[in-house]
Amino acid sequence: RRVLFRSAQATASGSAGTGALLSATSIAVGGQGGAGIGGVSGGDGGGAQASSTANANGDANGLTARSTAAGGDGGVAWGAGAVAGRGADVGPGVSARVNSQGHAVLEAEASVNAWGGSGGTGFAGASGGAGGNATLNNAVSVDDAEHIVLDQQAYGGRGGSTVAADGLQGGTAGAGGTAWSTLAYEWL
């Protein structure tokens, strides 16, 4: 039986008044899939989504929005024919936004990190699980500021290993996850 852990979700938001510094940070980490013993496959990791928003309610010195999301790792599997759990995918729900709302903002930074979950390890004839994918497409934005920093990074999950044990040959190792990060910004 395969068990899927629930997803993690985090949201942070804040508003800064005149002359203020503000940092809004959110972090979400999905749960690890359950273990499969005796030829039963491991559970898949749980997903993760994080978003953060920093808003100016007056002229501000600095606004920062940071979000980090890590997919849960797949559960281990033990026994011939079983497959370890797949690492969770992370992507479209991850974002960081800074909004000047028409006020003068000296410095603004928006950053996002997305990590696909690692595939679970297969023992005693079980195969390793596949790593999760990470996808970011314009996940960061700043509407206006004198100095702007935009940073988004995506990391595919590690494929699960396989380990021979109890006289059984190991299964097949899991494939690593793929990472995509696309960022386009037009200075107006």
Side-chain angles (χ1 to χ4, degrees), residues 2 33-34 41-45 73-77 83-87 118-121 127-131 160:
R2 296 180 76 154
S41 294
D44 294 341
D73 295 339
V76 301
V83 178
R86 185 182 192 293
S118 294
T121 301
S127 293

Side-chain angles (χ1 to χ4, degrees), residues 75-171:
V76 301
W78 194 283
V83 178
R86 185 182 192 293
D89 294 338
V90 176
V94 183
S95 65
R97 310 279 182 227
V98 174
N99 302 310
S100 68
Q101 301 185 134
H103 298 286
V105 175
L106 181 60
E107 293 189 26
E109 178 182 348
S111 66
V112 165
N113 288 297
W115 301 80
S118 294
T121 301
F123 294 94
S127 293
N133 300 319
T135 305
L136 296 174
N137 184 10
N138 293 320
V140 293
S141 70
V142 173
D143 65 351
D144 189 28
E146 191 170 322
H147 181 250
I148 295 175
V149 176
L150 299 174
D151 178 36
Q152 68 178 36
Q153 300 178 32
Y155 304 89
R158 172 188 68 77
S161 302
T162 183
V163 179
D166 298 332
L168 296 172
Q169 182 176 353

